[in-house]
Amino acid sequence: MHGEYKVPGGKLVVVDLEVEDGRLTDFRLAGDFFLEPDSALEDINAAVNGLPAETDATAIAAAVREALPAGAQLLGFNPESVGTAVRRALVTAPGWRDFDWEIVHEKAVSPRMNLALDEVLTSRVGEGRRRPTLRIWEWDESAVVIGSFQSYRNEVDPDGAARHGFDVVRRISGGGAMLMAAGQIITYSLYVPASLVQGLTFADSYAFLDDWALQALKSVGVDATYQPLNDIASPTGKIGGAAQKRLANGGVLHHATISYDIDGQVMTEVLRIGREKLSDKGTTSAAKRVDPLRTQTGLSRAEIIESFKATFRSLTDAEDGAITADEYADAEALVESKFATDAWLHRVP
């Protein structure tokens, strides 16, 4: 059995192993990481060999950590990444290049339509009716997008939203509210089969599915890192955040919003950002919580998006694709029956 795991912002961890009588055998660790002393590699191999095949990633990591000699240095990986690679080997999880990918970047549509397309395209991938897809959003009006489980009245100031021209919509994924001013945000959605994230914990899947975006950001000069559970950050501030939704049919939606530009004062007037949340993030100003890409790169939004697409193509061999007429039609119907209704918007008052 063979498993691989690319550590977000780190190195590739590769494992080969067998299972005999319900236990892991012939385990060998490899990769482009750094490890000192050399002998620690055999210590790691010995720690994993003999473990029950049902051992989860956390327990595998604990065994590896316990076996490391005093003063061992692991650079570009950690015991948790070894555990993840083992679990992916045991479920024969595929990698990015094992799928036939599309990149979709089409006309601007309403925020509600973007949310409906997320649900429709995720469902199509789960059903096997669409190839795994990266979609770059374009939208024709500003909006506040609140998480599936957020309270409308606790998150949004309706008067402030109306005054600044922000529609308020609710998405199907969890997480926090996003201020999506037209032309000031880069948002992408990944529609993938559940098999791509097999063997990963829910938390690890966030890092795994955002790693390509970190590479894209680094290609334009941003030292981007993943901050658990769902933030993308740089040394000078938060860049964006991600959210997920997993459908019963096996489709997985992973989408992220990254700030290209932002008006911090407008944010505080549209969103009800509590003092507790701000203090938890280590700052007293909402405007300082987000450091947009425009100030970090000096590039146009279009240039950054092209860099994102180029990075994704280099990692997946993705081809340019399109949303079909019937997919648009299904999304339009879903806007009418769900995303444009007060019942959905105020499902959590």
Side-chain angles (χ1 to χ4, degrees), residues 144-147 150 155-156 171 175-179 271 277:
V144 176
V145 182
I146 61 176
Q150 287 189 296
E155 297 297 328
V156 181
R171 62 180 184 267
M178 301 300 295
L179 192 76
L271 300 180
K277 184 171 184 179

Side-chain angles (χ1 to χ4, degrees), residues 24 27 40-51 59-68:
L24 307 182
F27 176 82
L41 182 64
E42 290 308 317
D43 293 329
I44 294 173
N45 290 339
V48 177
N49 273 313
L51 290 175
I60 294 170
V64 169
R65 185 171 282 107
E66 178 68 22
L68 290 171

Side-chain angles (χ1 to χ4, degrees), residues 122 172-174 192-206 209 243-254:
T122 305
I172 62 172
S173 61
V192 306
S195 59
L196 180 61
V197 292
Q198 275 188 305
L200 298 176
T201 66
F202 191 76
D204 284 344
S205 72
Y206 273 81
L209 293 175
Q244 277 187 27
K245 177 67 177 180
R246 303 189 179 200
L247 302 185
N249 70 1
V252 176
L253 165 65
H254 180 94

Side-chain angles (χ1 to χ4, degrees), residues 2-344:
H2 178 85
E4 298 184 0
Y5 178 60
K6 171 65 169 60
V7 179
K11 298 297 185 178
L12 181 66
V13 176
V14 181
V15 300
D16 290 282
L17 57 98
E18 300 295 336
V19 175
E20 294 181 8
D21 298 325
R23 292 192 174 271
L24 307 182
T25 65
D26 297 326
F27 176 82
R28 306 300 297 179
L29 173 67
D32 59 354
F33 48 77
F34 300 92
L35 176 63
E36 294 290 345
D38 283 353
S39 59
L41 182 64
E42 290 308 317
D43 293 329
I44 294 173
N45 290 339
V48 177
N49 273 313
L51 290 175
E54 65 272 15
T55 307
D56 64 20
T58 300
I60 294 170
V64 169
R65 185 171 282 107
E66 178 68 22
L68 290 171
Q73 298 292 311
L74 285 67
L75 303 177
F77 79 119
N78 56 27
E80 285 70 24
S81 60
V82 177
T84 297
V86 171
R87 294 313 310 172
R88 286 178 65 77
L90 290 168
V91 298
T92 60
W96 291 89
R97 289 186 182 273
D98 293 319
F99 295 97
D100 186 15
W101 290 90
E102 281 188 18
I103 297 177
V104 172
H105 187 194
E106 294 199 344
K107 64 183 180 181
V109 295
S110 71
R112 291 182 177 87
M113 188 65 169
N114 272 310
L115 299 178
L117 282 169
D118 267 359
E119 185 167 341
V120 168
L121 299 182
T122 305
S123 181
R124 293 282 180 111
V125 169
E127 294 166 354
R129 299 167 61 195
R130 158 172 281 278
R131 294 189 285 175
T133 302
L134 165 67
R135 180 172 73 94
I136 307 294
W137 291 29
E138 296 292 350
W139 59 100
D140 55 13
E141 60 181 306
S142 298
V144 176
V145 182
I146 61 176
S148 179
F149 311 108
Q150 287 189 296
S151 163
Y152 175 93
R153 63 170 169 251
N154 288 343
E155 297 297 328
V156 181
D157 182 332
D159 294 335
R163 183 167 64 253
H164 291 288
F166 282 82
D167 192 9
V168 183
V169 294
R170 185 184 295 275
R171 62 180 184 267
I172 62 172
S173 61
M178 301 300 295
L179 192 76
M180 301 179 64
Q184 294 185 7
I185 294 292
I186 296 172
T187 298
Y188 65 82
S189 294
L190 285 168
Y191 314 112
V192 306
S195 59
L196 180 61
V197 292
Q198 275 188 305
L200 298 176
T201 66
F202 191 76
D204 284 344
S205 72
Y206 273 81
F208 178 74
L209 293 175
D210 275 337
D211 187 56
W212 74 273
L214 301 186
Q215 295 184 52
L217 288 165
K218 288 176 180 177
S219 77
V220 295
V222 178
D223 185 16
T225 57
Y226 168 74
Q227 299 292 329
L229 170 64
N230 62 336
D231 283 354
I232 298 172
S234 76
T236 53
K238 179 178 174 179
I239 300 171
Q244 277 187 27
K245 177 67 177 180
R246 303 189 179 200
L247 302 185
N249 70 1
V252 176
L253 165 65
H254 180 94
H255 48 195
T257 293
I258 299 173
S259 292
Y260 171 71
D261 201 358
I262 194 166
D263 187 324
Q265 184 58 41
V266 170
M267 178 190 290
T268 62
E269 294 178 13
V270 174
L271 300 180
R272 299 188 191 277
I273 302 175
R275 292 181 181 178
E276 181 178 347
K277 184 171 184 179
L278 291 174
S279 63
D280 180 58
K281 296 293 184 177
T283 180
T284 57
S285 169
K288 293 178 181 178
R289 285 186 58 211
V290 179
D291 190 34
L293 298 184
R294 183 182 63 81
T295 59
Q296 293 198 52
T297 67
L299 298 174
S300 69
R301 178 177 177 274
E303 288 173 319
I304 293 174
I305 287 174
E306 287 306 312
S307 294
F308 270 58
K309 294 190 313 191
T311 297
F312 193 79
R313 284 193 193 97
S314 72
L315 297 172
T316 64
D317 296 325
E319 300 176 342
D320 289 339
I323 299 171
T324 66
D326 64 305
E327 287 170 339
Y328 273 121
D330 285 352
E332 288 170 355
L334 198 55
V335 168
E336 292 300 317
S337 64
K338 181 175 183 177
F339 290 101
T341 66
D342 283 341
W344 173 252

